[in-house]
Amino acid sequence: MAALEEEFTLSTVPLGAGPNGLLGVEQSDKTDQFLVTHGGRTVILYKVSDQKPLGSWSVKQGQIITCPAVCNFQTGEFIVVHDNKVLRIWNTENVNLDKVFKATLSAEIYRIHSIQGTEPLVLFKEGAVRGLEALLAEPQQKIETVVSDDEVIKWTKVFMVFRHPVLIFITEKHGNHFAYIQTFSSRTLSKYTLFHGQEEKSVIQNFTASVDRKFISLMSLSSDGCVYETLIPIHPRDPDENQRVVRSLLLKTVVAGNAPSGVALTVLDQDHVAVLGPPLPASKECLSIWNTKFQTLQTSRELPQGTSGQLWYFGENLFMLHGKFLTVIPYKCEVSSLAGALGKLKHSQDPGTHTVPHFVNWETSRGYGFGSQNSEQSKRILRRRKIEVNVPPPAFEQLLSTIKKDSEKDIEVELCKFLAVKRTPDFHAIVGDIVLELLGRHTTEPSFYPRNSLMQLIQTHVLSYSLCPGLMEAALEKTDVQMLQLCLQQFPDIPESITCACLKIFLSISDDSLQETEINMESVSDCSDPVQEKMDEQTEILQNGFNADEQNCDSCDRKLNQKPQDAAEETTSCPVVPKRAALLNAILHSAYSEMFLLPHLKDIPAQHVTIMDWICLLLDANFTVVVMIPEAKRLLLSLYKFVKSQICICSELNKIEVSFRELQKLNQEKNNRELYSIEVLELF
Amino acid sequence: ASTSGAEHASARARGAAVERDEPPAIGIRCVAYNNQSNRLAVSRTDGTVEIYNLSANYFQEKFFPGHESRATEALCWAKGQRLFSGGLNGEIIEYDLQALNIKYAMDAFGGPIWSMAVSPCGSQLLVGCEDGSVKLFQITPDKIQFERNFDRQKSRILSLSWHPSGTHIAAGSIDYISVFDVKSGSAVHKMLVDRQYMGVSKRKCIIWGVAFLSDGTVISVDSAGKVQFWDSATGTLVKNHLIANADVQSIAVSDQEDSFVVGTAEGTVFHFQLVSVTSNSSEKQWVRTKPFQHHTHDVRAVAHSPTALISGGTDTHLVIRPLMEKVEVKNYDAALRKITFPHRRLISCSKKRHLLLFQFAHHLELWRLGSTVATGKNGDTLPLSKDADHLLHLKTKGPENIICSCISPCGSWIAYSTTSRFFLYRLNYEHDNISLQRVSKMPAFLRSALQILFSEDSTKLFVASNQGSLHIIRLLEGSFKHLHTFQPQSGTVESMCLLAVSPDGNWLAASGTSAGVHVYNIKHLKLHCTVPAYNFPVTALAIAPSTNNLVIAHSDQQVFEYSIPDKQYTEWSRTIQKQGFHYLWLQRDTPITHISFHPKRPMHILLHDAYMFCIIDKSLPLPNDKTLLYNPLPPTNESDVIRRRTAHAFKISKIYKPLLFMDLLDERTLVAVERPLDDIIAQLPPPIKKKKFGT
């Protein structure tokens, strides 16, 4: 659900609207730091979370900044344009803008674009575009004219598409709008006429755009208060031809029609846009978040002191003028989650809180030593602190050199020797190093895959994913399901993307190749009647999965081997072979956080998923869609029934618990009545 | 009666029966551990402060009685093993650990005191007050002196911690933590704590505890269930652990700063350790390693000794959990300790009239035991012909808790003492009516008693005062006469805590917390002898009839028998010392609190702790470590041979527990007072409810 958090003011200096107001807000190369360009003469670098300025630079009296300052992500320098033609480039160590690098160009600049992954791009008022490097090499080079006379650039934006920048700018001429797309991979410029459709009278007031793989989705806010969307292909079929694109209505009347000023629009993500402006003709100005897919207003925030029609969105922050101050409103949009609604969503665990298995297990060591008690030695003895633990045993050095050059057989022998030696306190770290060493050789020498040694090392029970990054990736690459199963069982900290990759492999591996591999079948050991059946259609699986008899709240307790009570379904009790079931159980029993798993799960085709939990998670990922489509009505109904029965069970359990407590209380009262008693006691 | 034993009818009274108006279970508010002396100070919500000697089998060797207006919120040790507390009445109190009284109380003038911390060098004391002030006091040899205030904060200071160098302090308040420079007294950083709790914004976030580490890290625990690590140099949050759905209320760090412990309102204690993340690197990080759940209610206070985690909470338990990896010998000392009951006697009895006197914090109750005419066999509960009677409910005047109380064996006198007053009452019985008359004009020297005892014939009263002196008073009908005062041995100021008088009225034994037991001759009013000092404190004392053997129980579970006339240990005592006690006997974790004797069986010693009572039959062979110590009554169908072969000197019964008091009323009657734990728990506020099913 989209939500706006508490706003805070960034600048303490009041800003005026209009030309002396705010020119722009741009990201710097450091997260949380932003360049704010004041219309007159000043550029300030702010650290947003601290709400304090880190640096401020001004141009000389008489000069005027004409284009917002940007950061060159490749060099970390800042670039600003003053008096239309003069470029200034500086960094945080410079104090005086007058003394920094200066380049005077031959044409007037409209904007400098700078985004991650490419050099800054300079867009001239005549429509020409240049890379900064080329421009600085020859500042006085001739700049061609692209747009016709009286054609004025209104808005521009740059995107990265397949690692190449794509620049779009919109021009206006006599009330008509044109879009130019400049691609740099093929160096083509294509021009489109924006066709207004039926709403000829409305005037376009503000633009924003987002990019999909093939299209730029250009959104415009018109004077009638509606948002229109125009899809412009990035790579046109015929670049030379002037093409027409038609816009379609996206959102109706998000701001009051004919609002005098202060309207703005920006895309937040693929489903959400932020709109600045008064929602009703007479109302105060508002910042509203709209869901474009469902055309619903998600949240809004009133800006009683007015705003300027400028809105920027970077990372998680929305920047705008509120009154005379630059205001930041953090914005968050969480994926709506069915699991959350069902209460099944586990608390996301702090990754640091995983219990590291090498610690002393109190419960097992507690019983030890009670019998060996001697009345004389009852004094507590402090164990001398072993500080010099970090010196690895000599066997370790020997092993490392073996790994570097010898055969797999030799390594196994050497490893056995090493593991036989007494464990030191940093044993887990040393084992991690050995695995990394083995993997290192594997990457340089792909035929070298010391499977047995790796398995042996995993079975020391001291490894975790973070101790040997790359091990599971190597196993994935080799489709080594046995090792993957072992890792899933042993490692407490597998990233969800890897868990998902394992799942993909487990689901796609053929039954024949499964037959050949050795898999630990413990988790499905009592599955007496394995049914060798290919997967069925989704609906049937769902029915099986949602069978009320096998519902169990806790996903971790679920095993595939539960037998449905319904006799009719007995033949289809397990839609997968036991070996695959064992593998899938390994995934279910592994530690994962559903929140992080969701995005990866979206990549798994639905017909693979056979397990209730995963369906649930899939549902989470696509919940809003499922709720809307009529085909899902049956599913929703069965879901509803399931949840209802679940709640029933829980409430009954709670009732039973309360009854037991009452019984216990009654029991106590009964005992209490015998506050005084005389008993006969024979003493020896 | 069977051939090998006697039949006793036992009256079983449950102390819980009698009080309904006052909570007997007093939760633990603070704990403070002193490394030099290996002692633990514990304060309770009624203002009582207890000192546990961790080296002496965790024995509660000293206590300071509570006071209604003195709710303790902070407790700390300073240099020279001086103990300070601060509380809601705004006073800083120093305790005299020798004389067992309050040395002085000083108003800090900042409203209620919420937190306290002694500087690393031990010579400066910091208090955090309700009005947001942090006040620095200089600890002088005999007092403390106000030095200055730090910058006043907006709200109360709930927690304080010094940087080990003594240059900075961290102070936890509501919603933020301040870091002060000690020299200038000004706040150098203010670290705002997130109020959010699992996405829900709580109204306030209370910083219940802070700890300042030498590398500049500040660890905070708060009411939103977080343990957070802050960089005090930059004032930024470094790491956040969400560990509870409720408040995290306490934190304590080990001296090595490699481990710390936190306690939560859910009754859970979490252990964090600093461990290395990779080999060959010095990089270490804090990892939550072990959770413990030994409490049902809030864990209000935790402490970290070099070898154990100590926690105390609203559920009145003090839990000492040794750290296995720090203990080399995995013996009984490495086991968990849970201390629930006081290590002293709160009940006395009048054998003649079958009366029991129960001592509570603010009142005394006198009960007459019931009777029966029926007989039965072992294990029967007999029908009562007369139920137990609640005869008297005596409320104290004033806010002070009762320190000690006693009823005379004849039942005609009751005496009790608070910190500042001594009360003596005369009881008159006329048929079923009872009248009470206070003996007025008590002498000035009888102001505060640590222990009171009547002689067997109820003609003399012995009072151990907190100045180390022992007073002997002759009781007459409705009046008294001061007979003598034994002054403390020259050079000692230690108070006597335990008294025992011989049934013939000739000998009085008195013991303090550490020095030996002194035996006085009452006829000649002089010191007779001193039993050689022993390393562990005395927990119970009694003198046997006819033989005048003094039986002494120590906190390490050793029992000695010392002949007063011969001024030496008895032969039996030497034998058992030579052979050693059974290992299971030594592993009991509650001290013996009362010793008594059978008038007709001189070879028997009756003693009890909280979980068993034992009759030591000196005529039988001693058990060795191979024999079964706890040997329940063999079935009667076994032959006498087997019975005799398996019999040994220690006859232990665990029928009644927790056992607060047990004494022999006459040859055939034992009285036992149980205090069921369920009753204590039932009187506590309900713990945080955790739903077991559903969501």
Side-chain angles (χ1 to χ4, degrees):
Chain A
M1 187 69 191
L4 293 172
E5 291 178 11
E6 212 161 310
E7 62 179 82
F8 52 88
T9 307
L10 206 55
S11 62
T12 45
V13 190
L15 296 157
N20 290 327
L22 195 57
L23 210 54
V25 178
E26 291 287 340
Q27 274 179 300
S28 92
D29 59 333
K30 296 192 180 66
T31 49
D32 200 32
Q33 294 186 10
F34 293 89
L35 282 167
V36 176
T37 311
H38 292 204
R41 293 167 45 214
T42 320
V43 179
I44 302 175
L45 180 65
Y46 283 105
K47 188 169 167 67
V48 167
S49 59
D50 286 2
Q51 303 174 34
K52 66 185 181 198
L54 299 175
S56 167
W57 299 270
S58 296
V59 293
K60 260 202 309 200
Q61 190 87 40
Q63 296 174 339
I64 183 153
I65 295 177
T66 51
C67 157
V70 295
C71 174
N72 183 345
F73 290 102
Q74 291 178 331
T75 62
E77 292 166 328
F78 305 132
I79 310 155
V80 75
V81 179
H82 64 80
D83 302 311
N84 292 318
K85 281 184 176 177
V86 187
L87 276 181
R88 292 281 189 180
I89 301 178
W90 80 101
N91 59 32
T92 47
E93 283 154 25
N94 297 117
V95 179
N96 196 340
L97 266 195
D98 209 31
K99 290 182 182 153
V100 302
F101 176 85
K102 174 183 174 182
T104 308
L105 308 180
S106 62
E108 294 191 344
I109 298 169
Y110 179 76
R111 272 293 293 276
I112 303 177
H113 284 294
S114 178
I115 52 172
Q116 291 276 12
T118 181
E119 63 167 328
L121 301 169
V122 181
L123 173 65
F124 290 91
K125 284 192 177 164
E126 306 295 311
V129 184
R130 289 282 190 280
L132 183 72
E133 293 303 318
L135 209 52
L136 291 179
E138 197 187 334
Q140 283 297 319
Q141 64 182 269
K142 187 162 164 37
I143 304 297
E144 74 277 11
T145 302
V146 174
V147 298
S148 55
D149 294 344
D150 302 339
E151 204 175 333
V152 184
I153 299 180
K154 287 297 214 183
W155 176 86
T156 175
K157 191 166 178 177
V158 69
F159 304 101
M160 289 299 280
V161 180
F162 297 120
R163 294 197 208 144
H164 291 286
V166 172
L167 191 141
I168 176 173
F169 60 93
I170 309 287
T171 59
E172 191 199 6
K173 186 181 180 182
H174 310 308
N176 293 319
H177 286 89
F178 305 97
Y180 292 82
I181 310 282
Q182 170 87 57
T183 58
F184 290 83
S185 50
S186 52
R187 287 218 119 342
T188 53
L189 178 73
S190 28
K191 181 178 176 185
Y192 299 88
T193 309
L194 298 184
F195 185 64
H196 284 210
Q198 281 93 40
E199 306 82 11
E200 287 295 346
K201 281 168 234 154
S202 63
V203 182
I204 298 176
Q205 290 181 313
N206 207 304
F207 291 97
T208 186
S210 61
V211 70
D212 197 0
R213 286 175 189 188
K214 289 180 183 147
F215 290 97
I216 290 175
S217 155
L218 177 71
M219 289 179 206
S220 51
L221 182 61
S222 284
S223 59
D224 58 358
C226 302
V227 176
Y228 297 90
E229 186 185 31
T230 311
L231 290 178
I232 304 169
I234 294 169
H235 301 288
R237 260 159 273 145
D238 187 0
D240 300 325
E241 200 183 320
N242 186 355
Q243 294 160 66
R244 302 187 98 199
V245 280
V246 181
R247 65 179 195 171
S248 56
L249 183 65
L250 188 67
L251 284 173
K252 236 178 169 174
T253 337
V254 292
V255 294
N258 296 316
S261 67
V263 294
L265 174 75
T266 193
V267 172
L268 300 174
D269 56 46
Q270 55 182 12
D271 293 339
H272 292 92
V273 293
V275 179
L276 205 58
L280 293 166
S283 67
K284 294 235 171 74
E285 283 165 323
C286 261
L287 172 71
S288 334
I289 308 291
W290 288 80
N291 185 318
T292 53
K293 197 175 264 174
F294 298 110
Q295 311 224 340
T296 48
L297 177 66
Q298 299 281 299
T299 178
S300 81
R301 176 78 53 85
E302 200 169 280
L303 300 166
Q305 288 154 35
T307 179
S308 64
Q310 291 164 294
L311 183 63
W312 293 268
Y313 175 64
F314 297 108
E316 287 186 332
N317 294 316
L318 282 157
F319 296 79
M320 75 218 70
L321 270 180
H322 182 200
K324 289 190 165 172
F325 296 97
L326 178 58
T327 300
V328 182
I329 303 183
Y331 160 80
K332 281 229 173 80
C333 184
E334 282 161 25
V335 183
S336 58
S337 147
L338 175 64
L342 288 177
K344 213 178 76 55
L345 203 62
K346 284 177 226 133
H347 302 316
S348 57
Q349 260 198 334
D350 187 333
T353 61
H354 282 306
T355 319
V356 181
H358 70 271
F359 283 105
V360 180
N361 182 348
W362 179 272
E363 300 310 330
T364 52
S365 47
R366 194 180 164 187
Y368 160 68
F370 266 66
S372 66
Q373 154 77 22
N374 181 338
S375 62
E376 252 72 53
Q377 49 152 214
S378 65
K379 296 284 161 290
R380 211 180 291 125
I381 303 165
L382 284 184
R383 175 179 290 176
R384 285 174 294 284
R385 287 169 58 75
K386 296 187 178 84
I387 304 163
E388 55 291 313
V389 289
N390 279 345
V391 183
F396 178 61
E397 305 291 337
Q398 171 76 33
L399 181 59
L400 286 189
S401 65
T402 311
I403 288 171
K404 284 206 181 80
K405 47 187 196 297
D406 292 350
S407 72
E408 290 184 24
K409 206 86 209 150
D410 293 338
I411 293 172
E412 275 171 45
V413 171
E414 214 38 62
L415 185 65
C416 278
K417 270 193 229 162
F418 170 75
L419 291 177
V421 177
K422 200 175 167 239
R423 293 184 175 198
T424 50
D426 59 347
F427 182 69
H428 61 291
I430 292 178
V431 170
D433 288 350
I434 296 171
V435 174
L436 288 181
E437 199 69 33
L438 288 169
L439 290 174
R441 189 165 160 201
H442 168 67
T443 43
T444 50
E445 208 183 305
S447 61
F448 174 82
Y449 185 62
R451 193 163 176 280
N452 292 338
S453 304
L454 287 172
M455 294 287 268
Q456 205 174 349
L457 285 166
I458 297 169
Q459 275 159 340
T460 56
H461 298 272
V462 296
L463 279 179
S464 61
Y465 182 86
S466 39
L467 271 176
C468 49
L471 173 63
M472 287 188 80
E473 281 83 346
L476 280 169
E477 201 182 297
K478 293 268 174 193
T479 334
D480 189 345
V481 288
Q482 193 192 353
M483 190 183 292
L484 288 174
Q485 186 195 24
L486 206 56
C487 292
L488 283 167
Q489 286 166 351
Q490 301 277 344
F491 294 179
D493 55 347
I494 300 170
E496 278 73 4
S497 58
I498 300 292
T499 311
C500 236
C502 290
L503 177 66
K504 248 188 224 174
I505 285 200
F506 292 171
L507 290 172
S508 57
I509 192 169
S510 70
D511 283 354
D512 297 337
S513 46
L514 263 182
Q515 220 59 48
E516 289 156 19
T517 49
E518 238 181 81
I519 283 160
N520 179 0
M521 299 292 286
E522 225 167 73
S523 64
V524 288
S525 55
D526 54 337
C527 188
S528 53
D529 184 21
V531 185
Q532 303 261 353
E533 242 186 54
K534 288 279 169 202
M535 266 188 263
D536 257 312
E537 280 176 35
Q538 192 180 12
T539 49
E540 196 172 330
I541 296 156
L542 275 181
Q543 203 180 359
N544 189 22
F546 281 100
N547 191 322
D549 293 325
E550 26 171 298
Q551 296 325 323
N552 183 338
C553 251
D554 194 354
S555 64
C556 294
D557 290 348
R558 179 177 311 284
K559 288 187 180 176
L560 275 173
N561 53 22
Q562 287 171 324
K563 285 182 211 152
Q565 312 258 299
D566 193 347
E569 282 185 35
E570 209 147 56
T571 46
T572 60
S573 61
C574 187
V576 292
V577 296
K579 279 196 171 173
R580 196 192 301 280
L583 290 175
L584 293 173
N585 267 344
I587 296 236
L588 279 182
H589 288 272
S590 70
Y592 59 84
S593 164
E594 289 168 15
M595 202 170 73
F596 298 118
L597 199 62
L598 279 178
H600 301 289
L601 267 185
K602 281 183 181 169
D603 297 339
I604 292 185
Q607 70 264 24
H608 268 333
V609 181
T610 58
I611 303 145
M612 168 76 188
D613 274 298
W614 298 91
I615 291 170
C616 227
L617 286 169
L618 264 179
L619 260 178
D620 281 350
N622 305 299
F623 184 57
T624 37
V625 180
V626 170
V627 173
M628 303 302 283
I629 52 175
E631 291 92 319
K633 209 170 167 184
R634 249 185 68 207
L635 172 66
L636 284 179
L637 263 175
S638 53
L639 248 182
Y640 168 75
K641 273 186 195 154
F642 157 60
V643 172
K644 208 170 129 183
S645 67
Q646 190 91 353
I647 289 171
C648 252
I649 290 169
C650 289
S651 81
E652 291 305 315
L653 280 174
N654 278 324
K655 273 186 214 160
I656 291 169
E657 198 205 357
V658 171
S659 318
F660 273 127
R661 210 177 307 129
E662 285 304 312
L663 275 176
Q664 206 179 354
K665 238 185 244 168
L666 280 176
N667 231 357
Q668 265 173 13
E669 272 167 31
K670 216 163 123 198
N671 285 340
N672 276 355
R673 266 183 229 116
E674 298 169 11
L675 281 175
Y676 181 77
S677 65
I678 296 178
E679 291 166 13
V680 180
L681 186 63
E682 190 184 331
L683 291 172
F684 322 111
Chain B
S2 69
T3 47
S4 63
E7 210 173 87
H8 294 268
S10 92
R12 177 183 196 177
R14 288 190 160 182
V18 276
E19 82 309 308
R20 285 276 176 263
D21 52 340
E22 138 172 47
I26 316 281
I28 291 173
R29 180 63 195 88
C30 320
V31 295
Y33 173 73
N34 184 299
N35 206 355
Q36 270 96 48
S37 61
N38 198 23
R39 277 174 172 78
L40 185 75
V42 173
S43 81
R44 297 190 181 261
T45 45
D46 69 343
T48 307
V49 172
E50 296 158 358
I51 312 288
Y52 291 85
N53 186 346
L54 302 196
S55 308
N57 221 359
Y58 310 95
F59 180 59
Q60 182 195 318
E61 56 177 14
K62 293 167 190 177
F63 82 101
F64 300 90
H67 193 282
E68 265 175 7
S69 69
R70 209 194 290 141
T72 321
E73 283 291 327
L75 195 65
C76 59
W77 294 92
K79 197 161 75 181
Q81 286 158 42
R82 292 168 69 181
L83 183 66
F84 293 91
S85 81
L88 295 185
N89 62 355
E91 283 178 347
I92 303 170
I93 292 165
E94 181 172 0
Y95 298 88
D96 187 331
L97 296 175
Q98 284 292 323
L100 300 187
N101 56 17
I102 284 166
K103 220 170 174 179
Y104 55 85
M106 187 190 233
D107 199 324
F109 296 106
I113 294 172
W114 292 99
S115 51
M116 236 176 176
V118 167
S119 66
C121 60
S123 60
Q124 284 172 313
L125 180 72
L126 215 56
V127 297
C129 304
E130 171 75 19
D131 66 355
S133 61
V134 177
K135 293 166 191 285
L136 184 69
F137 290 83
Q138 202 67 40
I139 303 176
T140 58
D142 49 354
K143 233 183 159 175
I144 54 169
Q145 200 169 11
F146 175 72
E147 198 161 293
R148 62 198 157 86
N149 275 320
F150 285 15
D151 284 0
R152 161 116 26 130
Q153 301 299 301
K154 272 186 297 194
S155 46
R156 60 178 70 147
I157 306 294
L158 288 144
S159 45
L160 285 171
S161 177
W162 287 80
H163 186 266
S165 71
T167 54
H168 288 80
I169 60 156
S173 185
I174 292 168
D175 285 337
Y176 66 90
I177 302 157
S178 311
V179 176
F180 289 94
D181 182 71
V182 173
K183 219 175 220 173
S184 67
S186 57
V188 285
H189 275 299
K190 199 168 174 183
M191 303 181 286
L192 285 176
V193 179
D194 192 5
R195 286 182 185 181
Q196 289 247 327
Y197 166 69
M198 314 256 305
V200 183
S201 199
K202 274 195 163 183
R203 272 184 47 228
K204 271 170 185 168
C205 185
I206 301 160
I207 317 299
W208 286 119
V210 286
F212 215 142
L213 307 186
S214 23
D215 65 354
T217 303
V218 173
I219 310 170
S220 72
V221 297
D222 61 41
S223 61
K226 300 192 293 282
V227 176
Q228 293 185 311
F229 296 80
W230 305 83
D231 183 344
S232 69
T234 56
T236 48
L237 179 64
V238 179
K239 202 167 179 192
N240 181 20
H241 285 271
L242 183 65
I243 61 162
N245 288 328
D247 298 36
V248 185
Q249 293 181 313
S250 42
I251 178 169
V253 183
S254 70
D255 285 346
Q256 277 86 33
E257 297 190 355
D258 59 354
S259 134
F260 72 88
V261 56
V262 299
T264 75
E266 292 169 326
T268 323
V269 169
F270 290 101
H271 189 202
F272 283 77
Q273 283 172 295
L274 192 63
V275 292
S276 55
V277 279
T278 52
S279 69
N280 305 324
S281 96
S282 58
E283 192 197 333
K284 290 190 164 192
Q285 68 181 35
W286 286 103
V287 179
R288 194 182 83 187
T289 51
K290 283 169 256 159
F292 302 118
Q293 179 95 42
H294 299 299
H295 296 274
T296 53
H297 290 68
D298 302 34
V299 180
R300 297 295 300 269
V302 287
H304 198 311
S305 82
T307 54
L309 308 179
I310 300 160
S311 56
T314 309
D315 62 359
T316 73
H317 300 301
L318 178 68
V319 175
I320 297 158
R321 159 67 94 171
L323 295 168
M324 289 302 283
E325 62 266 30
K326 305 260 183 182
V327 183
E328 194 142 81
V329 185
K330 304 277 190 279
N331 60 17
Y332 190 62
D333 271 355
L336 170 88
R337 289 295 180 99
K338 204 167 191 175
I339 301 170
T340 308
F341 297 102
H343 290 165
R344 60 201 156 90
R345 191 157 57 90
L346 299 175
I347 297 156
S348 52
C349 92
S350 154
K351 294 184 178 178
K352 197 177 145 203
R353 286 191 184 268
H354 284 207
L355 301 174
L356 282 183
L357 182 73
F358 295 90
Q359 176 190 325
F360 298 92
H362 288 285
H363 74 270
L364 298 172
E365 282 185 20
L366 186 64
W367 285 73
R368 180 163 33 216
L369 299 173
S371 58
T372 183
V373 289
T375 52
K377 59 181 193 305
N378 187 23
D380 282 357
T381 302
L382 303 177
L384 297 177
S385 58
K386 196 163 150 273
D387 204 353
D389 273 340
H390 185 184
L391 298 180
L392 196 67
H393 183 106
L394 195 60
K395 272 194 87 98
T396 55
K397 297 176 182 73
E400 292 169 335
N401 283 14
I402 297 171
I403 301 175
C404 57
S405 63
C406 196
I407 185 165
S408 67
C410 69
S412 304
W413 299 92
I414 287 177
Y416 75 89
S417 174
T418 68
T419 310
S420 58
R421 291 176 82 183
F422 185 91
F423 298 88
L424 181 64
Y425 291 92
R426 173 83 183 164
L427 292 164
N428 287 308
Y429 301 86
E430 288 160 19
H431 308 294
D432 273 352
N433 286 334
I434 177 166
S435 64
L436 186 74
Q437 191 190 356
R438 179 160 175 216
V439 180
S440 53
K441 294 192 193 109
M442 294 309 291
F445 60 82
L446 277 183
R447 247 172 27 103
S448 175
L450 292 175
Q451 189 65 267
I452 305 167
L453 189 68
F454 290 94
S455 66
E456 198 78 359
D457 58 3
S458 304
T459 58
K460 288 195 187 82
L461 172 66
F462 308 100
V463 177
S465 83
N466 63 359
Q467 299 306 319
S469 46
L470 284 174
H471 306 292
I472 305 178
I473 289 144
R474 181 190 293 281
L475 298 171
L476 307 162
E477 188 79 24
S479 70
F480 62 89
K481 187 180 161 224
H482 177 224
L483 273 184
H484 185 72
T485 295
F486 291 114
Q487 291 303 333
Q489 303 303 304
S490 57
T492 63
V493 281
E494 192 190 47
S495 299
M496 295 293 139
C497 304
L498 288 167
L499 294 177
V501 66
S502 66
D504 61 15
N506 288 340
W507 309 104
L508 176 68
S511 146
T513 50
S514 59
V517 180
H518 304 293
V519 181
Y520 298 94
N521 186 327
I522 302 172
K523 262 193 189 147
H524 300 109
L525 297 177
K526 64 170 187 149
L527 181 69
H528 175 67
C529 62
T530 299
V531 181
Y534 185 68
N535 296 348
F536 289 88
V538 178
T539 68
L541 274 182
I543 299 172
S546 64
T547 58
N548 281 332
N549 284 342
L550 174 64
V551 179
I552 310 164
H554 290 275
S555 73
D556 63 345
Q557 309 297 3
Q558 297 289 341
V559 178
F560 294 95
E561 193 186 38
Y562 183 84
S563 168
I564 294 175
D566 299 345
K567 294 192 189 179
Q568 61 176 2
Y569 288 113
T570 64
E571 199 50 47
W572 180 80
S573 189
R574 286 170 206 272
T575 314
I576 197 157
Q577 284 306 315
K578 215 175 282 168
Q579 188 181 328
F581 281 84
H582 194 276
Y583 74 99
L584 287 175
W585 175 269
L586 296 171
Q587 282 180 6
R588 292 177 302 111
D589 51 10
T590 51
I592 287 167
T593 49
H594 188 57
I595 302 170
S596 54
F597 304 95
H598 193 283
K600 292 283 165 61
R601 294 171 194 268
M603 295 309 276
H604 286 189
I605 305 169
L606 275 83
L607 21 78
H608 78 86
D609 65 15
Y611 297 102
M612 62 105 217
F613 77 88
C614 175
I615 299 172
I616 299 178
D617 187 342
K618 291 188 282 181
S619 62
L620 288 176
L622 294 171
N624 60 26
D625 279 1
K626 287 194 191 82
T627 45
L628 208 60
L629 177 71
Y630 174 54
N631 194 5
L633 200 61
T636 39
N637 55 13
E638 293 279 4
S639 70
D640 271 4
V641 186
I642 293 174
R643 288 183 139 219
R644 228 171 281 144
R645 209 172 57 206
T646 54
H648 59 73
F650 288 75
K651 314 282 190 192
I652 293 172
S653 166
K654 297 183 180 175
I655 294 177
Y656 307 117
K657 56 188 176 185
L659 190 59
L660 282 200
F661 178 73
M662 176 167 253
D663 206 352
L664 208 59
L665 287 180
D666 56 48
E667 286 166 38
R668 299 175 60 81
T669 317
L670 269 175
V671 61
V673 180
E674 271 182 322
R675 186 77 179 89
L677 213 52
D678 289 346
D679 287 355
I680 299 176
I681 290 160
Q683 288 174 31
L684 292 172
I688 290 179
K689 194 176 174 320
K690 283 186 204 155
K691 265 202 174 172
K692 284 191 187 117
F693 312 110
T695 53

